[in-house]
Amino acid sequence: MSLIPTLAETVSRARTDLRMGLPVMIGGHLAAAVETLSPARMAAMQALGRPVLAITERRAETLKARAYDAGLARVKVPGDADLRWLRAIADPSGDLMTPMKGPLFTDRGGETAPHLAALALAKAAQLLPAVLVVPAPLQPGLTSVEPGPLMAQLASEAALNPVACARLPLGAAERSRLHIFRPDDGGEEHYAVEIGDPPRDQPVLARLHSACFTGDVLGSLKCDCGPQLHSALNLMGSQGQGVLLYLNQEGRGIGLANKMRAYALQNQGFDTVEANHRLGFEDDERDFRIGAELLRRLGFDRVRLLTNNPRKVAMLQGHGIEVKERVPLIVARNRHNTDYLDVKAEKSGHLL
Ligand SMILES: Nc1nc2c(ncn2[C@@H]2O[C@H](COP(=O)(O)OP(=O)(O)OP(=O)(O)O)[C@@H](O)[C@H]2O)c(=O)[nH]1
Ligand SMILES: [Zn+2]
């Protein structure tokens, strides 16, 4: 095998570069995430030409900037703009304090593939989707990737390889094991809690749980995650078998930092869906294929799925897992989570 990095490895590097504040070369353009960009690197990029600030169509809607391309607006960066100017466009936390940012002028026509790819990479890095982009000759030492292969790689499904497994007696079920799976694209590891020894030729009681540090670990009252996690484990414990997948897709895939930005917007009065949109994300950025892949790796192809989210059912069915039954997971309301639960029911189609 050659020592040259594969496409998956190059993309994984590019994602890490953006997180560190290092620009990457995407199809003849330099691209850097605004969130991690330093003033010196911004100046170096401005010296190369006229950069644009690529933002998502969602963010552009809030800023009243015209998005001429599906999913993308390319905001012209004035010659005298500094990093504060870029950050104010990227980060909605100051929108209410300084609502007038414009007028913002956006590019129409011309190449968009590098910009769209750069935004997808910023999302994959769980950074705010706002990227400074400037045409540039190849820069030695920087990671370089073409937009087409980059997009294809980000959309592809990483293989999840089992790395370790051990018995882990739980309060909810003494006969439990924890399996760790590692993707081959340098992404997050995911876990599976196997309770008892569920027969592989029958539908297994299963839960796909997305990580929620605030709810699962801290017992936050803002969401229903902690109680859902524990009631799923308890039900599996009482039935003697089940499998709970703990997927590291914090904040519906936007990461904990962005989820806290979303909570800050919720403090300003926006709901959970609006907050995601104002940040430039879709309501739900999770890749549910991971759940299907993990179930298959564990030997299951039929489940009784514990969920209130019809999208989870549809996605599993679409990826080769038969959902024999949907088992509702009802959790207690409190005065902090009642609006959140209502919005999930009204806007995200949850069955509550
Ligand atoms: N972006 C964002 N994520 C949130 C918010 N509140 C909770 N989350 C995340 O939402 C996810 C909840 O996931 P799940 O428990 O799988 O729930 P679900 O999609 O609502 O579906 P079921 O619980 O199966 O019915 C977790 O990743 C949480 O971190 C929020 O206000 N904003
Ligand atoms: Zn939660």
Side-chain angles (χ1 to χ4, degrees):
M1 193 184 160
S2 139
L3 290 176
I4 297 170
T6 62
L7 174 64
E9 289 158 348
T10 304
V11 170
S12 184
R13 272 189 178 176
R15 196 174 54 209
T16 307
D17 290 349
L18 285 193
R19 282 195 72 86
M20 289 189 297
L22 201 57
V24 296
M25 286 293 311
I26 304 179
H29 291 69
L30 261 185
V34 170
E35 181 174 349
T36 50
L37 187 63
S38 68
R41 288 232 163 83
M42 179 182 173
M45 287 176 73
Q46 281 171 312
L48 288 166
R50 261 299 175 94
V52 294
L53 177 53
I55 55 175
T56 64
E57 198 176 352
R58 289 282 188 206
R59 181 74 187 123
E61 271 165 33
T62 299
L63 294 168
K64 308 267 183 291
R66 287 288 291 272
Y68 292 106
D69 307 287
L72 168 73
R74 286 163 294 159
V75 181
K76 293 183 201 292
V77 179
D80 61 353
D82 58 6
L83 201 48
R84 275 216 321 268
W85 189 91
L86 296 182
R87 295 232 165 109
I89 302 223
D91 184 348
S93 61
D95 283 0
L96 293 189
M97 300 265 283
T98 50
M100 294 303 288
K101 294 199 208 309
L104 298 176
F105 299 101
T106 51
D107 276 358
R108 179 178 203 168
E111 227 181 339
T112 58
H115 309 78
L116 283 164
L119 283 177
L121 190 64
K123 281 190 181 183
Q126 299 191 332
L127 296 168
L128 284 173
V131 186
L132 193 65
V133 180
V134 66
L138 203 61
Q139 305 291 309
L142 294 189
T143 307
S144 173
V145 58
E146 291 305 309
L150 172 55
M151 290 298 257
Q153 175 61 36
L154 291 176
S156 74
E157 207 177 339
L160 285 155
N161 301 310
V163 281
C165 167
R167 276 206 303 276
L168 184 72
L170 302 177
E174 271 188 58
R175 284 186 57 234
S176 304
R177 276 176 294 168
L178 182 64
H179 304 257
I180 310 299
F181 291 88
R182 183 175 300 160
D184 63 356
D185 67 353
E188 292 279 354
E189 293 178 354
H190 302 288
Y191 321 133
V193 182
E194 186 177 353
I195 290 174
D197 203 356
R200 269 40 181 182
D201 59 356
Q202 280 168 36
V204 63
L205 182 63
R207 164 99 185 127
L208 270 60
H209 184 87
S210 298
C212 178
F213 172 73
T214 47
D216 299 342
V217 179
L218 302 180
S220 155
L221 299 175
K222 262 184 82 71
C223 59
D224 53 347
C225 302
Q228 281 192 329
L229 173 65
H230 295 287
S231 67
L233 289 173
N234 286 332
L235 187 63
M236 291 172 189
S238 70
Q239 298 197 358
Q241 52 199 32
V243 59
L244 182 136
L245 305 183
Y246 193 91
L247 307 173
N248 277 306
Q249 307 168 312
E250 174 66 60
R252 296 197 295 270
I254 66 175
L256 186 56
N258 285 320
K259 186 173 94 172
M260 284 309 100
R261 292 186 171 120
Y263 276 12
L265 293 174
Q266 290 170 36
N267 293 342
Q268 297 180 0
F270 300 104
D271 70 33
T272 178
V273 169
E274 290 162 347
N276 260 39
H277 291 174
R278 293 184 81 87
L279 286 161
F281 293 104
E282 299 303 316
D283 331 352
D284 196 336
E285 296 271 359
R286 285 176 289 184
D287 179 357
F288 283 120
R289 293 175 304 182
I290 298 168
E293 159 85 358
L294 278 186
L295 286 169
R296 252 194 311 276
R297 293 257 12 175
L298 290 161
F300 300 107
D301 60 3
R302 283 180 298 161
V303 294
R304 291 164 52 224
L305 190 67
L306 272 160
T307 187
N308 307 318
N309 183 349
R311 276 194 60 219
K312 283 188 185 173
V313 176
M315 289 293 286
L316 278 189
Q317 302 263 36
H319 291 93
I321 301 287
E322 196 183 335
V323 180
K324 288 299 248 186
E325 184 189 345
R326 183 184 73 84
V327 183
L329 252 184
I330 305 302
V331 293
R333 286 177 174 254
N334 64 51
R335 67 191 169 90
H336 302 279
N337 72 8
T338 190
D339 288 348
Y340 172 75
L341 295 175
D342 288 344
V343 171
K344 285 217 297 192
E346 284 159 26
K347 293 194 177 176
S348 311
H350 280 63
L351 311 159
L352 294 172

